Amino acid sequence: MIEALHQKPRAFLYCTLQRELLPNELYRALWDQMTHDFELDKAALLMVEALYIAATQDKETAVADYLEDHLTGGTLSLNGLRQHFNGSGETANPSTYHQHPLNDYDHLLNHAQRHQSLSSPESASQESSLIPHAESMGSP
């Protein structure tokens, strides 16, 4: 369920099992504090991210401690939470992806074109012969 919420964190606000998804009383108290300190959308995003990290990394207590410390200190942020537990505050920026050289594709395309031009013209462009339309047997 946390996987689905991670995709749409605002759904946590309207989830009928919201209290049951929070693992213990500390998380419930933290959620109450988040809804007091942040806009509801931001609070939901923070809590769902915290629950996701706690579940996927098996760090329920560590995440709760982090939330408590940073809520008390007024320093809780989504990027800070992600950076602390994932080592990265943001998802990968598309401009930082490394594209492999495209020369291999050029080589493949040139090879395919050369292979096709070496084929006989008949096999490369086999056209189906036209079949004449059959005459009608009856009159309209």
Side-chain angles (χ1 to χ4, degrees), residues 101-114:
L102 299 177
N103 296 345
D104 293 339
Y105 294 111
D106 291 338
H107 173 72
L108 287 172
L109 291 172
N110 288 336
H111 177 73
Q113 288 173 349
R114 266 187 270 124

Side-chain angles (χ1 to χ4, degrees), residues 13-67:
L13 294 171
Y14 309 103
C15 182
T16 56
L17 301 174
Q18 184 186 82
R19 300 304 268 187
E20 289 80 6
L21 287 173
L22 299 169
N24 55 40
E25 273 308 309
L26 178 55
Y27 272 88
R28 289 179 192 98
L30 291 168
W31 171 243
D32 291 340
Q33 186 63 41
M34 284 180 183
T35 59
H36 182 265
D37 292 356
F38 297 99
E39 292 179 12
L40 288 178
D41 286 349
K42 180 149 184 164
L45 186 60
L46 283 164
M47 183 52 79
V48 168
E49 186 68 22
L51 291 170
Y52 180 78
I53 291 168
T56 58
Q57 296 182 21
D58 195 26
K59 295 184 177 180
E60 182 180 309
T61 303
V63 171
D65 291 343
Y66 178 88
L67 292 175

